[in-house]
């Protein structure tokens, strides 16, 4: 099992390499982000262990460039940055796991083995459903060349629906995945936000891709990206709410 270890602290890098070598891994070390992009793009690795705070190019940018180059090697972020937003950014950019320093070496080994077993299926950074595209890294939504501004809740709902594109999802599933556990209102809020989304992603484009499946829930279908145009005004839908 071949590992690319991206770490600029030489003592830590050598310690981790020695430990992983003892567990049967073959480890290459690079000390900066630019070298990491080159090595991961040019050679085949089973997993990449990537620090965030790196010289020349930080770990977030390394990860973003790798996924843009369609390098789908599993990536474990190994870093002292332990904020929830740091982790969210990493996962949105395509990270597979996240381990904070100081860490248990045996936990690191277990997680690396799990990533290797899982393999590296293709996972496009930009999610698409026909002509509708969503880039989690930039929180950017677009249809037929028109940028669609969304509120935070609309964005969360659309992200969930796009990840389930073609599947019917119930109100209960939507509430569980888009609203937090503290929400105590009724499920009518789902209907309200579905309506908001339709006004932004469908109606201005003359489409009906966000469908109600009577008695079951909702389904987001993919349209034909080559069919139809953009809103006559050329302006994006309103971002209110």
């Amino acid at each position: 099992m071949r590992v690319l270890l991206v770490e600029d602290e030489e003592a830590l890098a050598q310690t981790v390499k020695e430990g992983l070598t003892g567990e049967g891994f073959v480890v290459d070390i690079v000390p900066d982000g630019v070298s990491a992009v080159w090595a991961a793009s040019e050679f085949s690795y089973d997993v990449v262990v990537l620090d965030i705070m790196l010289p020349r190019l930080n770990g977030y940018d390394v990860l973003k460039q790798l996924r843009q180059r369609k390098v789908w090697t599993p990536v474990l972020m190994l870093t002292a940055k332990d904020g929830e937003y740091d982790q969210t950014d990493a996962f949105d950019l395509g990270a597979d796991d996240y381990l904070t320093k100081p860490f248990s070496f045996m936990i690191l080994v277990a997680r690396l083995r799990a990533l290797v077993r899982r393999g590296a299926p293709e996972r496009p950074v930009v999610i698409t459903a026909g002509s509708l595209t969503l880039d989690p890294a930039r929180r950017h939504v677009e249809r037929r060349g028109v940028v669609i501004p969304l509120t935070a809740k609309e964005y969360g709902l659309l992200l969930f629906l796009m990840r389930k594109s073609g599947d019917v999802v119930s109100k209960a599933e939507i509430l569980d995945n888009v609203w937090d556990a503290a929400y105590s209102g009724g499920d009518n809020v789902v209907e309200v936000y579905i309506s908001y989304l339709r006004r932004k992603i469908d109606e201005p484009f003359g489409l009906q891709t966000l469908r109600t499946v009577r008695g079951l829930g909702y389904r987001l279908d993919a349209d034909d990206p080559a069919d139809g145009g953009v809103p006559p005004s050329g302006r994006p839908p309103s971002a209110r709410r």
Side-chain angles (χ1 to χ4, degrees):
M1 293 178 286
R2 192 175 182 192
V3 177
L4 177 63
L5 175 59
V6 189
E7 174 58 65
D8 63 322
E9 295 182 33
E10 185 176 353
L12 176 60
Q14 290 298 329
T15 298
V16 173
K17 178 176 180 176
E18 290 174 8
L20 291 179
T21 300
E23 294 292 330
F25 292 88
V26 176
V27 182
D28 293 335
I29 299 174
V30 293
D32 63 80
V34 173
S35 300
V37 173
W38 175 81
S41 301
E42 292 294 320
F43 303 103
S44 177
Y45 291 96
D46 293 295
V47 65
V48 176
V49 178
L50 178 62
D51 191 13
I52 292 179
M53 304 302 291
L54 292 167
R56 302 182 70 190
L57 197 66
N58 68 48
Y60 294 129
D61 289 333
V62 170
L63 184 57
K64 185 174 182 179
Q65 288 194 25
L66 290 179
R67 297 314 189 217
Q68 288 175 340
R69 296 181 180 203
K70 302 188 184 303
V71 176
W72 308 117
T73 307
V75 173
L76 182 146
M77 307 296 281
L78 184 62
T79 176
K81 295 172 70 67
D82 61 356
E84 61 181 27
Y85 290 107
D86 298 314
Q87 297 187 43
T88 299
D89 289 343
F91 286 123
D92 280 346
L93 288 168
D96 298 88
D97 203 350
Y98 194 105
L99 190 60
T100 56
K101 302 174 184 176
F103 57 90
S104 161
F105 180 75
M106 294 312 298
I107 293 295
L108 172 63
V109 171
R111 291 191 176 185
L112 291 180
R113 286 176 173 159
L115 290 177
V116 171
R117 287 196 301 270
R118 191 184 309 166
E122 287 196 7
R123 296 159 298 176
V125 174
V126 177
I127 304 169
T128 62
S131 64
L132 186 64
T133 64
L134 184 151
D135 183 345
R138 297 188 296 148
R139 295 179 66 90
H140 179 89
V141 178
E142 185 175 308
R143 170 160 261 164
R144 296 175 179 169
V146 177
V147 176
I148 303 175
L150 299 175
T151 66
K153 189 61 68 178
E154 291 166 351
Y155 173 84
L157 175 57
L158 181 61
L159 178 60
F160 177 68
L161 291 170
M162 290 188 71
R163 284 176 169 164
K164 297 284 188 177
S165 180
D167 296 337
V168 177
V169 292
S170 67
K171 286 184 180 180
E173 287 179 276
I174 292 173
L175 283 175
D176 286 344
N177 287 275
V178 182
W179 274 261
D180 60 39
Y183 176 74
S184 59
D187 62 7
N188 285 344
V189 69
V190 175
E191 296 177 24
V192 172
Y193 275 87
I194 288 288
S195 176
Y196 290 162
L197 271 186
R198 283 183 175 135
R199 293 175 193 170
K200 293 185 177 184
I201 70 170
D202 273 351
E203 291 178 10
F205 303 89
L207 297 171
Q208 294 182 340
T209 61
L210 183 46
R211 303 178 183 276
T212 299
V213 182
R214 191 173 299 277
L216 296 176
Y218 304 94
R219 185 183 71 236
L220 180 65
D221 293 329
D223 64 312
D224 182 351
D227 184 27
V230 298
S233 67
R235 293 194 297 268
S238 170
R240 293 179 182 176
R241 284 181 303 281

